[in-house]
Amino acid sequence: MPICIICSCEKPDGIFILSEFICDSCEDEMVHTDVMDEKYMFFIHQLKTNLILKNA
Ligand SMILES: [Zn+2]
């Protein structure tokens, strides 16, 4: 099973963005998270950290 880059859990369902996996529940949460929400910043941080570091 792929490992989600947001929650670091192995999940059977989700999407791949730039070869990185995001599970269904995290993707759903991201879609419904307000931009001003602290959780949104956490998502962006996780995405940047994982995508930029791995693709640098
Ligand atoms: Zn996840």
Side-chain angles (χ1 to χ4, degrees):
M1 270 194 285
I3 297 172
C4 171
I5 62 165
I6 305 294
C7 62
S8 308
C9 297
E10 279 189 30
K11 297 283 175 71
D13 300 305
I15 54 163
F16 282 93
I17 298 175
L18 298 174
S19 82
E20 302 300 332
F21 178 75
I22 297 176
C23 71
D24 268 354
S25 52
C26 286
E27 191 217 344
D28 192 60
E29 247 192 290
M30 281 183 79
V31 171
H32 295 103
T33 300
D34 194 272
V35 179
M36 298 306 287
D37 198 304
E38 242 179 62
K39 193 94 185 259
Y40 187 83
M41 295 310 294
F42 170 74
F43 284 133
I44 298 300
H45 175 77
Q46 290 293 88
L47 275 175
K48 277 186 181 167
T49 304
N50 286 286
L51 292 179
I52 292 170
L53 288 181
K54 284 183 184 172
N55 293 295

